[in-house]
Amino acid sequence: MKIRTGFGFDVHRLVEGRDLWLGGILVPHTLGLLGHSDADVLIHAICDALLGAANMRDIGYHFPDSASEFENIDSKVLLRKTVGLIASKGYRIGNIDATVCAERPKLKNYIPQMQKVLAEVMNIDVDDVSIKATTTEKLGFTGREEGISAYAVVLISKD
């Protein structure tokens, strides 16, 4: 069995007039994330981690922001496509461990729903999707509520 790990990171700016999508769910907030797609930083970090683990470059390579077909796309679609890409090389997901950095909104009550949605999209057990949330104690762009970032580590394997 071949086992590989991958790391992903993403960040998007918070702006008025956009919905806040995190982990595949709509989170009530006065601001949303700016991006070519729905700007779901958590899903984007997971996609990058999966692609990196399979040595398949990154999310921007496969789903460029210059392509109109990805404009305002639901990031769950990108995640499903990413799982298909790594499967084409024979890999399956072992587990995901991710952290979202946001001063506000508080995310702890949304994490179980995010885990459920992401597990369904990736066709894995909900217990294999760990999501944590933290603040930066009012430091940096996150602390000033200018943006939200996410980190993800994944384990993939093939026989």
Side-chain angles (χ1 to χ4, degrees):
M1 178 187 297
K2 186 171 195 165
I3 296 173
R4 298 180 73 142
T5 59
F7 171 77
F9 169 76
D10 195 39
V11 62
H12 284 277
R13 180 186 340 219
L14 282 164
V15 296
E16 292 182 359
R18 294 267 301 192
D19 289 331
L20 179 58
W21 287 94
L22 288 172
I25 68 167
L26 182 60
V27 176
H29 193 47
T30 57
L31 303 172
L33 293 169
L34 181 63
H36 187 68
S37 66
D38 63 10
D40 187 324
V41 294
L42 178 54
I43 287 181
H44 295 180
I46 292 169
C47 287
D48 266 352
L50 290 167
L51 291 166
N55 193 20
M56 297 181 79
R57 302 197 54 173
D58 59 43
I59 191 172
Y61 177 81
H62 292 279
F63 314 111
D65 62 8
S66 58
S68 61
E69 66 194 278
F70 302 122
E71 188 170 3
N72 296 317
I73 195 167
D74 181 336
S75 290
K76 292 186 294 293
V77 173
L78 303 180
L79 180 57
R80 192 172 291 113
K81 289 177 181 284
T82 298
V83 171
L85 285 168
I86 69 164
S88 74
K89 287 184 78 173
Y91 290 106
R92 60 185 168 79
I93 299 170
N95 73 298
I96 310 284
D97 183 23
T99 302
V100 179
C101 300
E103 206 65 36
R104 286 186 318 118
K106 298 299 181 195
L107 299 174
K108 68 179 179 180
N109 293 333
Y110 301 102
I111 288 174
Q113 187 181 356
M114 290 178 195
Q115 289 173 293
K116 183 178 185 294
V117 167
L118 294 176
E120 288 173 2
V121 170
M122 294 183 284
N123 197 30
I124 61 176
D125 191 276
V126 72
D127 193 48
D128 293 329
V129 182
S130 169
I131 301 170
K132 303 169 303 295
T134 190
T135 69
T136 57
E137 301 294 330
K138 302 201 182 294
L139 297 172
F141 73 88
T142 304
R144 292 186 301 272
E145 299 182 44
E146 296 170 4
I148 294 176
S149 61
Y151 303 84
V153 177
V154 303
L155 180 127
I156 62 174
S157 65
K158 70 176 167 178
D159 297 324

